[in-house]
Amino acid sequence: MKIAYRVQHYAGRDAALQRLLPLLPGGVEIMVDTDREKKSPWRGYHRCLQNPPKNATHLCVIQDDALPCQRFGSLLAEAVGERPDDVLSLFVGGLPGRTRKDFWGALKSGARFTPVYFREIHHVVALCWPIPLVHEFLEWYETAKIPGPKPPVSDDAVVGYWARTRKHYFQATVPCLVEHPDDFPSVVQGPDRFGDKGRRAIAFIDSVEVGSP
C-alpha cells in the first residue's frame, strides 16, 4: 500500500499552504490553480485527480486551507489498511442530516467509520481515493450530465453527484482526521461564510469531546 498526497492549492493562499505542508508526510505534490478570472474549485480538484502516480495504491487530495491532525500520515495509513476499497472522507462538515446523526452514533459507540449518506453533501476538503475509483470517477465525468453551470464550478457538487448516481457510500473516519478551520476566504464565496458550522468538522480527532451535537 502506498498513499500519494496532492494539495489543491489556489494561488495567493500562501499562508494556508505554509500551515498545511509541515503537517503532511513528505513527497507532497502541490497542484496550483492560477486562473483569477474564472475561479473554479472543481477545475483545481479535477487537476488533482488526473494522472495519479503510477506506484500509488491510493491518492489523498487535501485542500490548502485544511488542518490535518497530529500523526496524520500514520493514522490515515491505518484507516486505509482497514478500508482499502472505499473512498475515505477525512473531513465531514456539521450540516444537519443522516450523516451527522450516524457520525455521532459511531463516535459514541467507538466505531472507527461511518457512511456518508450519498444523498447529502460530500465535502472534498480531504478525501483519500483508491486509485481504481479515481479512474472510474474520471471516466464517468467525461460523459456525465451534471446539473448546474457548464463547466461545473463546485468540486463538492461534482463528487457528490457521482456518489449519488452510482450509489457509492464514502466512509468517514470517526473522528475526523482533518479540520477545516474556515479561517481563509472561500475561493468563490468570499469571507462572508466565516463561522458556518457546516464548514467545520463534526468532531476533529485532536479536540474531540464525545457528546450530543
Side-chain angles (χ1 to χ4, degrees):
M1 180 185 72
K2 180 176 176 54
I3 304 171
Y5 292 85
R6 286 180 173 172
V7 175
Q8 180 184 357
H9 175 54
Y10 185 69
R13 291 157 59 104
D14 295 340
L17 194 63
Q18 290 168 7
R19 177 179 67 184
L20 171 65
L21 291 180
L23 301 174
L24 296 177
V28 176
E29 290 184 87
I30 303 171
M31 314 301 284
V32 185
D33 188 344
T34 60
D35 192 334
R36 296 181 179 274
E37 296 299 322
K38 297 180 180 179
K39 296 180 179 180
S40 169
W42 164 244
R43 180 180 59 235
Y45 199 81
H46 188 212
R47 185 175 299 161
C48 287
L49 292 179
Q50 293 176 308
N51 302 311
K54 295 186 183 301
N55 63 340
T57 61
H58 293 76
L59 177 62
C60 179
V61 179
I62 186 166
Q63 294 180 341
D64 60 7
D65 59 347
L67 180 65
C69 64
Q70 300 178 47
R71 300 194 304 115
F72 175 69
S74 61
L75 290 176
L76 177 55
E78 289 177 12
V80 169
E82 292 184 59
R83 307 294 300 236
D85 300 323
D86 293 311
V87 180
L88 297 183
S89 182
L90 314 178
F91 165 88
V92 179
L95 292 171
R98 177 173 168 181
T99 299
R100 186 176 74 171
K101 180 181 178 181
D102 289 352
F103 189 104
W104 277 105
L107 185 63
K108 291 177 182 180
S109 69
R112 291 173 58 81
F113 301 92
T114 190
V116 178
Y117 188 48
F118 62 78
R119 294 190 182 278
E120 296 179 355
I121 190 169
H122 285 61
H123 291 107
V124 301
V125 170
L127 295 178
C128 189
W129 294 76
I131 295 300
L133 288 183
V134 172
H135 294 312
E136 178 185 318
F137 173 73
L138 292 176
E139 183 177 353
W140 165 86
Y141 176 70
E142 290 302 314
T143 58
K145 294 179 171 55
I146 301 168
K150 311 296 182 194
V153 173
S154 170
D155 42 11
D156 292 344
V158 176
V159 173
Y161 191 67
W162 175 70
R164 185 163 65 252
T165 56
R166 294 299 179 95
K167 293 184 170 55
H168 273 297
Y169 278 95
F170 290 12
Q171 293 291 321
T173 55
V174 181
C176 299
L177 301 185
V178 172
E179 174 62 287
H180 180 251
D182 200 24
D183 51 0
F184 288 90
S186 166
V187 170
V188 294
Q189 294 172 323
D192 59 327
R193 294 292 299 275
F194 287 156
D196 184 342
K197 291 183 179 179
R199 290 161 56 85
R200 299 292 303 273
I202 297 176
F204 179 43
I205 193 170
D206 284 354
S207 58
V208 66
E209 294 181 8
V210 178
S212 59

